Amino acid sequence: MITFVRKLFRHMNEEATKTTSERTLNFLEEIIRDDLAQGKYDSIVTRFPPEPNGYLHIGHAKSICLNFGLAQRFGGKTNLRFDDTNPTKEETEYVDSIKEDIHWLGFRWAGEFYASDYFEQLYLWAHELIAKGLAYVDDQTQEEIRMGRGTVTSPGTESPYRNRSIEENTDLFTRMKNGEFPDGSRVLRAKIDMAHPNMLMRDPLMYRIIHTDHHRTGNTWCIYPMYDYAHGQCDSIEKITHSICTLEFDVHRPLYDWFIDKLGIFPSHQYEFARLNITHTVMSKRKLLELVKAGLVKGWDDPRMPTICGLRRRGFTPSSIRLFAEKVGVAKRDNVIDISLMEWCIREESNKNAPRYMAVLDPVKLVITNYPPEQVEYMKAPLNPEDPDAGNRDVPFTREIFIERNDFMEDPPKKFFRLRPGGEVRLKYGYIIRCENIIKDENGKITELQCTYDPESRPGSGTWRSVKGTIHWLSAAHAVKSEIRLFERLFTEPYMGNIPENKDYKDYLNPESLQIVQGLTDRDAAAVAGKAIPGKDDTRTRIQFERLGYFVPDYDTTKEKPVFNRICTLKDSFAKTMKA
Ligand code: ATP
Ligand code: MG
C-alpha cells in the first residue's frame, strides 16, 4: 500500500505539469471515444445520482467531476438525478445541500430529475413484467425470502407463491399499490432463476410496501421500488448512455441489463470504477451523520469533515478539488489515496495566488531597547514572491514586537538557528536583532525578551549581512487579536477500512484534530478577513501566514474578531508520513 501511494505521489508530481488533453485517456474515456467513433451514439449523456440522505463528500466530488468531466470532454450532457426511492431516510435539506455543492464545484446539470418523478412509469413497467410472467407477488416473510435465496454454493428454493397466475399477480400488485396491505406483508419479485450463480439474480425484490410519506410524492405511494429495479430504468428514461457507478455495483450489472432487456427500453449501460478512499477519514454518509449527531464534530461543514461543505469551509477551492479528482484518476481496482494529495492540490494553487502576511500563534513580547519608542518604520515585503505583479506591502516595525514563543530557546540544541541568549536572528523583511536579556515571571515563564537591533542591517540599505535564522514577527501596536483554528487528521488510523472487527471507527477519532489558538495577525490580513462575508461565499481570500501555512477566514469571523482556518501547512507532511 505504502509503495503504491509513494509511486502515485511521484507520478502525480510528474503529471502535475500536464494538461488534461495531454494525459493518456482513462478506460472510461476510451470506451466513450470508441462508442462515438463507432456511431453507437451521437452524443453522450451521463448522470450523477445521489441519494438525498446526507451531505456530499469528497468521494461524491470524484464521481461528480468524472460524470460532468466526461460529458464536457466529449460534448455531451449530465443530468442530476436524485435517487429518492427510499422515503424513510430522505430529506429536502439534503437535496438543497447537494445542489449547492455541485454548483459550487463549478458544474451545471442539464436536467434536474428525481427517481420519484418516474414512480408512475416504473409502476406501469412492473405491471408489464407481471403480464409477461416475469414478476410475481410474494407473501413470504422477509426471513423466509432470505432463507430461500440459498448460498453462494447452494441454489435457492422457489417461493410457494412463485407460480401465481398473471391475473392474481396483477390484482395483488394493484392492491399493494392501493394500500390494502401492511408494511412487510408482500413484495413484488422478478421471476428470474433461483439457482442463478449470481445471488442477485435469484428473484430479486422489485417493490416493497412502506407506508411512509415521501419528501416529494407525499402519501401518493405506499409501495417503493428497490434500487435495482429503479436505477437502470431511470437511466433509460433519461437516455443515459454511460451510467457510471462504483465497483461494488458490478454484480448488479446483469440485473440492470435484465430489466432493460425484458422491457425493451433504451439500452443504457453501466460501467464501474473504483470508489475513492482517503486515508485518515471515513466516507460513508451513515458514519458522517453519526459524527454530526453525536456532536463529535461541529456539523456537516466542520472543516475536519471530508464533506464538500467541510472542505469548502476549511478553505479548499473548487479548482483544487477538481484538480484532486483529476490527479486521483479513474481506477478499476480499489485503493486508498493519501489525504496529503488533497493538501498538495490546494497548496500548489495557494502558493501561486495567496498573498503573504505574518501571524504569531503563541506570542511572546520582544522589546528592542535601542529603538526609539515612538518610531514606526515600514518594511517592504512582496505580497507574493511567486507573482511579480502582486507588488509589495508595507510592514510596520516598532520598538515592541511579538515573536513566536518557540522561536526562542534559552538553552537550545546545536542546530537551533532561531533566537537564543546572546544570539542573532533576522526579523523577516527587517533588521537583525540580538537577544540581550530575558524577563520571566515568578513561575519562570518568559514574559519579555529584550533585544538590540543593528541599524545597519535593514534590507536594501546596501550592506547586507546574513545570519542563519529568520523569524516572523508582528509590531505590537499593529497586531490584531485573532482566533486561529488548526486542524489535524480526523482519525489517527490511516486505513480506516481495515480496522479490526472488534473496534469501532469512532475509537480512532484523533483527540487533537482541532486546536483553537488565540493569536495575533497582521492588520492587513485581518482586513482581508473582515471583507469576507460570514457565510458561504468562496470569494474569501486564501492567504499565507509566513512559515505557518495557508489560511482562510472562517464563517465565524466578526467585525470584532477575525477567525482563520488553516487549510494546510506550507510543507508537505507526506515525506514525513512515509518515513515514519
Ligand atoms: P455512501 O456510502 O458514502 O453513503 P453512496 O454510494 O450511498 O455513498 P450515493 O448518494 O448513492 O452515495 O452516491 C451517489 C453517487 O456517488 C453514486 O454514483 C456513487 O457511486 C458515487 N459515490 C459515492 N461514494 C463514492 C466514492 N467514495 N468514490 C466515488 N464515487 C462515489
Ligand atoms: Mg447509495
Side-chain angles (χ1 to χ4, degrees), residues 462-514:
T463 48
W464 178 259
R465 176 161 82 82
S466 77
V467 287
K468 275 222 163 124
T470 302
I471 60 173
H472 61 270
W473 54 277
L474 283 172
S475 158
H478 297 83
V480 178
K481 282 191 178 152
S482 306
E483 179 167 315
I484 296 151
R485 299 177 181 170
L486 307 173
F487 309 106
E488 288 295 335
R489 309 290 185 238
L490 188 50
F491 293 93
T492 51
E493 162 63 35
Y495 303 112
M496 289 301 290
N498 292 345
I499 59 175
E501 281 201 9
N502 59 349
K503 290 279 201 170
D504 184 72
Y505 72 98
K506 294 194 287 305
D507 298 341
Y508 295 89
L509 273 168
N510 180 3
E512 280 156 28
S513 60
L514 170 65

Side-chain angles (χ1 to χ4, degrees), residues 109-120:
W109 47 91
E112 176 184 330
F113 301 108
Y114 294 79
S116 56
D117 294 341
Y118 310 132
F119 279 171
E120 183 68 28

Side-chain angles (χ1 to χ4, degrees), residues 201-213:
M201 298 293 276
R202 295 183 187 172
D203 292 9
L205 265 54
M206 292 168 61
Y207 273 92
R208 72 267 204 234
I209 302 172
I210 308 176
H211 288 271
T212 297
D213 278 8

Side-chain angles (χ1 to χ4, degrees), residues 48-51 57 59-60 63 244 246 273 275-276 283-285:
F48 174 65
E51 186 179 351
H57 53 59
H60 296 114
S63 171
I244 296 157
T246 42
F273 75 105
R275 75 192 285 122
L276 172 65
M283 248 161 6
S284 110
K285 279 182 283 192

